[in-house]
């Protein structure tokens, strides 16, 4: 199940899928600043990808709010994991600014490493408490802005885990046209 839009030569797809099973060049992990992969999407990535992912994160040490770093993907079908640090809603200042930055930095890191496609989840909308509708608007707007300003990526997949999340993202995309 998915919806695609071609924008400026890049395919934007919104799909209901398990991000840990994607074969894109990279998947994005909604990370915390300490890069500890203990719960939520990060915990699922660590459980399925193996210990090497956390070990690489430990070597990096930390990542600032709104930034992204990259590691290998262990046993996952993807090649890389981009760890993007989104805001904790109601805790971190300027949540919209930092969520937008986390998305854009993820795409920039993929471009810098000559990747062709990435999968991005609903960063900050899980255990970080960002309201889903607001997160969808920020994430989709940031992706479209980055595509329009120029990216080498052939495809950006917004990968949602629940049908509700998927429908919110589809409705947001339709509204932002």
């Amino acid at each position: 199940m998915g919806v695609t839009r071609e924008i400026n030569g890049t395919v934007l797809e919104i799909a209901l899928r398990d991000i840990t099973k994607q074969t894109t060049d990279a998947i994005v992990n909604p990370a915390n600043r300490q890069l500890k992969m203990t719960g939520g999407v990060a915990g699922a990535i660590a459980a399925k990808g193996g210990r090497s992912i956390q070990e690489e994160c430990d070597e990096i040490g930390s990542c600032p709010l709104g930034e992204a770093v990259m590691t290998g993907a262990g046993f996952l079908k993807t090649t890389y994991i981009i760890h993007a640090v989104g805001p904790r809603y109601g805790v971190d200042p300027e949540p919209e600014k930092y969520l937008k930055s986390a998305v854009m930095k993820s795409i920039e890191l993929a471009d810098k490493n000559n990747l062709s496609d990435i999968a991005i989840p609903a960063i900050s909308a899980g255990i970080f408490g960002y309201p889903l509708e607001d997160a969808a608007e920020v994430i989709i707007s940031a992706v479209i802005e980055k595509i329009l300003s120029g990216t080498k990526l052939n495809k950006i997949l917004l990968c949602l885990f629940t049908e509700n999340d998927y429908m919110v993202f589809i409705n947001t995309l339709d509204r932002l046209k």
Side-chain angles (χ1 to χ4, degrees), residues 102-122:
V103 172
M104 294 188 127
K105 294 293 184 177
S106 296
I107 296 169
E108 289 168 12
L109 193 53
D111 276 339
K112 179 181 174 187
N113 287 278
N114 298 310
L115 306 184
S116 64
D117 50 12
I118 63 171
I120 303 172

Side-chain angles (χ1 to χ4, degrees):
M1 180 185 296
V3 171
T4 61
R5 301 276 191 277
E6 190 275 324
I7 304 167
N8 203 28
T10 298
V11 173
L12 168 58
E13 180 178 1
I14 298 176
L16 179 60
R17 297 195 190 140
D18 181 342
I19 199 163
T20 66
K21 296 180 179 178
Q22 298 314 297
T23 59
T24 49
D25 289 342
I27 62 172
V28 175
N29 169 36
N32 57 50
R33 285 179 239 196
Q34 299 77 30
L35 301 175
K36 297 299 181 194
M37 302 178 69
T38 55
V41 176
I45 291 170
K48 293 181 181 181
R51 185 160 170 70
S52 67
I53 301 168
Q54 184 62 65
E55 289 170 353
E56 283 187 62
C57 285
D58 291 345
E59 286 178 23
I60 294 167
S62 65
C63 182
L65 180 61
E67 297 290 326
V69 296
M70 192 162 72
T71 66
F75 300 118
L76 298 175
K77 294 177 183 178
T78 188
T79 306
Y80 300 103
I81 298 175
I82 295 173
H83 305 268
V85 180
R88 296 167 298 157
Y89 198 80
V91 176
D92 293 318
E94 303 178 274
E96 183 176 337
K97 170 186 166 184
Y98 287 109
L99 179 54
K100 178 181 179 179
S101 178
V103 172
M104 294 188 127
K105 294 293 184 177
S106 296
I107 296 169
E108 289 168 12
L109 193 53
D111 276 339
K112 179 181 174 187
N113 287 278
N114 298 310
L115 306 184
S116 64
D117 50 12
I118 63 171
I120 303 172
I123 299 169
S124 289
I127 59 177
F128 280 9
Y130 210 113
L132 183 61
E133 291 80 6
D134 296 339
E137 186 164 333
V138 173
I139 291 167
I140 293 170
S141 296
V143 168
I144 292 172
E145 182 180 330
K146 196 66 185 157
I147 290 172
L148 291 174
S149 70
T151 178
K152 296 182 271 183
L153 291 171
N154 296 323
K155 180 178 176 180
I156 299 172
L157 168 63
L158 297 179
C159 194
L160 292 310
F161 192 65
T162 70
E163 192 163 335
N164 179 67
D165 293 358
Y166 171 75
M167 293 309 301
V168 167
F169 271 70
I170 292 297
N171 293 335
T172 302
L173 179 62
D174 288 343
R175 195 176 69 251
L176 291 175
K177 281 190 211 178

